[in-house]
């Protein structure tokens, strides 16, 4: 892959703004486990190798199992592997990431209210929006897997 711009070096204010979102996400009420599942799943959908690599490693350090990571792209068929709450967050992740299809549907939003309050749904959406932005940065700038962003 051809080397491309280093956004951190040429647009540090943009990276600082993204890091502001990360600071916000570190303080929200949804669990770290759920945040990592969201990050991995969105990155799988977007085919962002850089982010898949980073967030699977982070998830493992946080106590996630290899089995759950291996089965994440088949979560709908993994009946007993993911909790109903996790499945709901993953459904939201897919609908928001694949926004061109239908976006977050009314049916999914209404069902999500049985697991999360509106604040938590907003936090989940912000986690999804943020990882989707990171995926686009990593893919557009050809970040090599396993390398530091800086």
């Amino acid at each position: 892959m051809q080397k491309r711009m280093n956004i951190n070096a040429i647009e540090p204010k943009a990276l600082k703004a993204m890091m502001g979102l990360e600071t916000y996400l570190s303080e929200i009420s949804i669990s770290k486990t759920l945040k990592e599942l969201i990050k991995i799943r969105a990155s799988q959908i977007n085919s962002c190798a850089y982010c898949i690599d980073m967030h699977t490693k982070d998830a493992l350090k946080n106590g996630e199992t290899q089995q759950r990571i291996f089965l994440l792209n088949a979560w709908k068929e993994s009946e007993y592997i993911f909790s109903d709450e996790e499945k709901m967050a993953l459904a939201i992740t897919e609908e928001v990431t694949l926004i061109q299809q239908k976006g977050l549907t009314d049916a999914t939003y209404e069902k999500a209210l049985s697991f999360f309050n509106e604040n938590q749904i907003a936090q989940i959406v912000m986690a999804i929006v943020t990882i989707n932005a990171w995926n686009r940065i990593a893919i557009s700038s050809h970040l090599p897997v396993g390398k530091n962003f800086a």
Side-chain angles (χ1 to χ4, degrees):
M1 227 183 306
Q2 177 185 1
K3 186 176 178 183
R4 292 197 176 163
M5 75 265 169
N6 178 331
I7 291 178
N8 187 30
I10 62 175
E11 288 294 334
K13 288 182 183 177
L15 193 65
K16 184 177 179 182
M18 289 298 299
M19 294 310 294
L21 285 169
E22 288 299 327
T23 299
Y24 157 77
L25 291 175
S26 72
E27 300 168 354
I28 63 177
S29 67
I30 63 172
S31 72
K32 186 169 176 94
T33 297
L34 194 54
K35 284 187 272 189
E36 291 302 333
L37 290 175
I38 288 166
K39 290 175 183 181
I40 296 166
R41 185 64 192 123
S43 298
Q44 288 173 333
I45 293 166
N46 291 322
S47 299
C48 183
Y50 181 88
C51 293
I52 293 168
D53 180 65
M54 175 192 296
H55 295 295
T56 54
K57 289 175 182 174
D58 289 347
L60 288 167
K61 285 180 199 170
N62 190 48
E64 187 57 83
T65 67
Q66 289 182 1
Q67 180 188 31
R68 284 168 41 100
I69 292 171
F70 296 155
L71 291 171
L72 187 55
N73 67 339
W75 65 269
K76 291 176 190 173
E77 290 79 30
S78 303
E79 189 173 348
Y80 303 109
I81 302 297
F82 300 98
S83 71
D84 290 341
E85 180 180 271
E86 290 168 335
K87 288 178 182 180
M88 192 71 258
L90 291 168
I92 296 169
T93 300
E94 290 187 359
E95 289 187 5
V96 173
T97 299
L98 298 168
I99 197 112
Q100 77 282 7
Q101 290 182 1
K102 291 183 186 174
L104 181 56
T105 63
D106 290 340
T108 300
Y109 182 81
E110 291 300 320
K111 188 173 180 183
L113 287 170
S114 65
F115 295 96
F116 307 106
N117 62 40
E118 285 187 327
N119 232 152
Q120 291 169 315
I121 294 171
Q123 292 171 358
I124 290 167
V125 168
M126 289 308 299
I128 298 163
V129 167
T130 303
I131 190 57
N132 273 278
W134 282 120
N135 290 165
R136 281 144 180 79
I137 291 167
I139 292 168
S140 298
S141 60
H142 289 177
L143 285 176
V145 173
K147 298 288 183 175
N148 191 341
F149 188 78

